[in-house]
Amino acid sequence: MMKYLARLSGICLALLLSFGSAQALAAEPNTIWRLLDYMAVDYAAAVEDGEVVNEVEYEEMVEFAGTVRSGIAELPERPGRVRLEANAKQLEADILSMAPVDQVATAARKLAADLLAIYPITLSPSRAPDLERGRLLYQETCASCHGVSGNGRGPASAGLDPPPIAFTDVDRARQRSIMGLYQVIDQGIDGTAMPGFSQLSSDDRWALAFYSGSVAFEAVDEGARLWKSDSELRKRFPDLAALTKITPDELAGEIGQVRADALMAYLRANPSAIADAAGPLGITRTRLAEAERAHANGNISRAKELALSAYLDGFEPVEPILATRNPDLLVRIESGMMDLRAAIDADLPTSAISERIRAIEGLLVQAENVLAPESATGWSTFVASFAILLREGLEALLIVIAMIAFVRKAGQDRALRFVHGGWTGALVAGALTWLAATYLLDISGAGRESIEAFGSLIAALVLLSVGVWMHGKSQADNWQRYIRDKLGKALSRGSLWFLFGIVFLVVYREVFETILFYAALSAQGSTGYLLAGAATAGLLLVVIAWLLLRYSRTLPIGKFFAYSSVLIALLAIVLIGKGIAGLQEAGVIGIAPIAGGPRLSMLGVYPTFQVIGAQLAMASVLLLGFWINHTRASNNDRSRDAV
């Protein structure tokens, strides 16, 4: 009875596939790939020595071969599709002539591989699957048919034709890729009792695929030894995509069956080993490849997300180290990433996207050599630690010193505690941020960039008003008494907290960025050199602070305000540029690159129209404010002269 039901299901499926909606489904590359993967494995159950041994299975093979042929013919026109059609027709002819099992399996797998090369589809999970989650899902959804141990003899398996797959069957498991299992879990198998589980999340489907694909292999310990001792094997699996698309039999052709079984046992049970070995640049490569496939499939929004993730989640964590070892290479990679995102935004052809990705991948190879552990020395860690703290600390120090000198010249020493409270509070908040990010929260790359960006923008706007105000007070030395009188009243009305806010905001932004850099540096080891570099930079900052405070005391108040206003204006221009660039890196605003434009990250200058436009706008507002101040001062001088 079950044979007739299965046959009827096959006939119904064939009829459905001859009409529009089913044809559209069959014309999807992932559906065609799934059918080819199924045929490569199950043809052996239909034909043996040129004879049909299972009529239902054979009819299914014939039906699937016809579906593959017609589905390929309906795929979008691309170079190579004609060759796919010819190979699909030959595969169908081989099955109709009951060709040998090896011949059909090889032809189906080659056609599937060629299909992926021309019509890329998602091949891997976005993160290492949770095998414990996979085991629980298996017990809930699969054990009733496939058995608790995966032997195919669950309580609901009686009478099913074809019977459920035995995941413990090593010979069969060697022929099945994780991607093939994922596709079956996602869509089921037509003509069988195997349903699809598309209602599960993508992470759950991958976890289930990895778990069910691991139960046949037992040599986990030997596989772990191979993985940890053989660097060439690790290169063979640079990312999860490389693991999900290969079958153990294909791997056995490269390294031998025993080693292949052991390695598959370990990696399928511990996919996180690949993610750990890949490191940040491995994540970058994976995301770039996924972005390229998404773009080729017409999913532009997904391609944009993945290209952004390639930078934020992969490359950004290694920026601090690369900046100290090869700053030119850092600039080239950042520019390449920015250009890629702009190209996707502009909806350029996939060939243009692929060209940009290939260029970035070449730069990543150089970066790997620069970042290799053997390239790390105690001295390089010292220099990086020193340069980072000095650079970030100096920017914050200039504002703090300006505020301290300001309240002292105003004769408002009581306001000093608010200034000191601002920068010490920022240090405490930075430490709490580090603790939260390390032990409590997972701050994404986009989150990090957004925090820095919005902090820069707010600080820039505050400094804009402060700079114009200070410039106004520099226009006439005989305003000194007036300034002190007015400042005394203003500070008594609550502006003390405004001072606190300025200092806190500027210092916290620099502390936050410094924490990110030091977290990356600490992963290299050489803790002693890192601390020595930080201590040296800290001492130098103390010396600079002492000199600035000593010099500012001797400046007449008019000159002090003049110099301070110029300094604060420049910092406002720098911060507005960094803020806009940060929002671009976080994907909040778009990117319009300036070909060959300047890139001076220390000055907040980046080669995009948005950044340069924002800095020019800030400079224009500042100049306008300074001109208004100068005009008012000149008018006041003429009025006094007239009197």
Side-chain angles (χ1 to χ4, degrees):
M1 181 64 180
M2 292 303 297
K3 288 184 178 181
Y4 294 110
L5 289 175
R7 186 178 302 176
L8 180 61
S9 298
I11 294 172
C12 291
L13 177 63
L15 290 173
L16 285 171
L17 290 175
S18 66
F19 294 95
S21 61
Q23 282 185 328
L25 179 65
E28 293 179 357
N30 62 339
T31 301
I32 298 171
W33 188 94
R34 182 171 62 90
L35 293 177
L36 288 167
D37 183 73
Y38 187 76
M39 292 161 63
V41 176
D42 276 32
Y43 180 74
V47 174
E48 186 177 326
D49 297 329
E51 299 289 337
V52 174
V53 295
N54 187 315
E55 186 177 344
V56 173
E57 288 279 0
Y58 181 69
E59 289 180 0
E60 191 174 57
M61 294 296 106
V62 173
E63 173 195 321
F64 286 174
T67 301
V68 166
R69 174 182 47 76
S70 61
I72 289 176
E74 294 169 13
L75 289 172
E77 180 62 44
R78 286 186 188 172
R81 194 189 72 175
V82 173
R83 175 168 52 85
L84 292 181
E85 289 184 71
N87 291 340
K89 290 178 181 178
Q90 183 58 53
L91 176 62
E92 184 179 27
D94 288 345
I95 291 175
L96 288 172
S97 65
M98 293 168 283
V101 170
D102 289 345
Q103 179 179 329
V104 170
T106 300
R109 288 200 173 97
K110 184 178 185 306
L111 181 56
D114 291 342
L115 176 73
L116 292 183
I118 299 172
Y119 299 92
I121 61 177
T122 300
L123 294 173
S124 66
S126 59
R127 70 194 74 187
D130 182 350
L131 267 289
E132 177 59 23
R133 173 66 177 164
R135 184 187 67 80
L136 294 174
L137 287 169
Y138 178 87
Q139 298 303 325
E140 293 172 4
T141 60
C142 309
S144 59
C145 291
H146 294 279
V148 173
S149 66
N151 60 10
R153 294 194 292 272
S157 66
L160 294 181
D161 189 6
I165 290 172
F167 293 119
T168 54
D169 183 344
V170 177
D171 290 335
R172 186 183 184 89
R174 287 170 177 160
Q175 302 175 60
R176 181 57 52 85
S177 67
I178 296 295
M179 181 186 168
L181 290 168
Y182 176 85
Q183 294 277 16
V184 169
I185 292 168
D186 180 47
Q187 302 180 34
I189 301 177
D190 299 314
T192 75
M194 174 65 192
F197 291 92
S198 58
Q199 74 276 12
L200 294 177
S201 68
S202 178
D203 286 348
D204 281 351
R205 278 174 276 157
W206 281 116
L208 192 52
F210 268 83
Y211 177 78
S212 57
S214 68
V215 296
F217 303 101
E218 299 178 351
V220 175
D221 291 342
E222 175 61 18
R225 188 192 65 77
L226 284 172
W227 177 254
K228 294 173 183 177
S229 63
D230 194 330
S231 60
E232 292 303 315
L233 285 181
R234 294 195 297 274
K235 291 179 182 178
R236 176 64 181 79
F237 295 97
D239 51 37
L240 289 169
L243 175 62
T244 58
K245 67 183 180 181
I246 195 171
T247 68
D249 270 354
E250 290 170 336
L251 183 61
E254 301 176 21
I255 64 174
Q257 192 70 70
V258 174
R259 284 162 56 88
D261 286 354
L263 194 60
M264 286 294 99
Y266 175 66
L267 292 181
R268 289 187 173 187
N270 300 276
S272 59
I274 290 179
D276 293 341
L281 294 186
I283 295 173
T284 302
R285 285 197 180 88
T286 299
R287 296 294 184 271
L288 289 174
E290 291 172 343
E292 185 176 12
R293 289 192 292 269
H295 193 277
N297 287 333
N299 193 342
I300 306 302
S301 62
R302 179 60 176 160
K304 289 168 62 176
E305 292 175 8
L306 290 165
L308 184 61
S309 176
Y311 173 74
L312 292 175
D313 300 318
F315 181 70
E316 191 196 37
V318 305
E319 276 189 349
I321 305 171
L322 190 59
T324 60
R325 298 188 187 178
N326 193 330
D328 178 63
L329 179 59
L330 169 64
V331 169
R332 291 162 62 197
I333 293 176
E334 284 186 328
S335 299
M337 294 279 195
M338 185 178 294
D339 186 45
L340 171 64
R341 298 199 299 276
I344 296 174
D345 276 333
D347 199 19
L348 296 185
T350 299
S351 58
I353 303 302
S354 299
E355 180 182 349
R356 285 164 170 77
I357 290 176
R358 298 290 87 76
I360 294 172
E361 288 175 341
L363 295 174
L364 292 178
V365 172
Q366 299 179 43
E368 276 186 329
N369 294 330
V370 173
L371 297 170
E374 55 269 21
S375 300
T377 63
W379 175 246
S380 67
T381 301
F382 174 89
V383 171
S385 174
F386 173 83
I388 288 168
L389 184 57
L390 183 63
R391 183 185 69 193
E392 303 300 329
L394 189 58
E395 195 169 293
L397 181 64
L398 293 174
I399 297 297
V400 174
I401 295 300
M403 294 299 104
I404 291 174
F406 160 65
V407 297
R408 281 181 173 172
K409 286 188 174 293
Q412 296 291 324
D413 288 349
R414 65 191 180 86
L416 284 174
R417 63 177 182 271
F418 285 84
V419 177
H420 292 311
W423 67 263
T424 54
L427 293 179
V428 172
L432 293 176
T433 301
W434 174 77
L435 289 172
T438 304
Y439 300 106
L440 301 177
L441 304 174
D442 182 14
I443 301 178
S444 66
R448 294 192 299 267
E449 290 292 345
S450 296
I451 291 172
E452 290 184 46
F454 284 115
S456 294
L457 292 177
I458 296 171
L461 295 176
V462 171
L463 293 179
L464 167 64
S465 62
V466 172
V468 173
W469 181 85
M470 279 192 167
H471 180 266
K473 301 302 178 264
S474 71
Q475 296 302 306
D477 287 344
N478 58 3
W479 281 17
Q480 182 172 348
R481 185 181 302 277
Y482 172 79
I483 291 170
R484 286 178 176 172
D485 292 342
K486 292 295 185 182
L487 285 178
K489 295 177 182 178
L491 292 177
S492 67
R493 290 199 297 264
S495 335
L496 297 170
W497 287 107
F498 179 70
L499 287 176
F500 174 91
I502 293 174
V503 175
F504 177 88
L505 187 64
V506 172
V507 175
Y508 177 75
R509 181 204 172 278
E510 304 305 329
V511 170
F512 183 79
E513 190 168 5
T514 303
I515 286 171
L516 298 179
F517 287 166
Y518 271 81
L521 282 177
S522 64
Q524 297 183 100
S526 301
T527 304
Y529 285 94
L530 185 148
L531 294 176
T536 305
L539 288 174
L540 183 56
L541 287 172
V542 170
V543 172
I544 293 172
W546 181 79
L547 291 173
L548 289 174
L549 284 172
R550 182 185 178 93
Y551 177 69
S552 65
R553 286 177 178 172
T554 64
L555 276 178
I557 192 167
K559 287 186 177 181
F560 166 76
F561 277 122
Y563 296 157
S564 296
S565 64
V566 172
L567 171 64
I568 289 175
L570 291 175
L571 285 176
I573 295 172
V574 170
L575 289 175
I576 197 73
K578 288 186 175 182
I580 297 298
L583 292 181
Q584 289 179 319
E585 291 177 348
V588 177
I589 61 176
I591 300 172
I594 300 176
R599 184 186 184 92
L600 303 168
S601 57
M602 282 287 292
L603 300 179
V605 178
Y606 297 87
T608 73
F609 283 100
Q610 292 89 343
V611 170
I612 300 300
Q615 290 188 312
L616 289 175
M618 175 66 78
S620 299
V621 173
L622 286 164
L623 289 173
L624 177 61
F626 288 2
W627 177 79
I628 292 173
N629 289 335
H630 180 73
T631 301
R632 287 176 177 172
S634 297
N635 291 337
N636 289 334
D637 289 341
R638 283 195 293 270
S639 297
R640 285 194 297 271
D641 291 341
V643 173

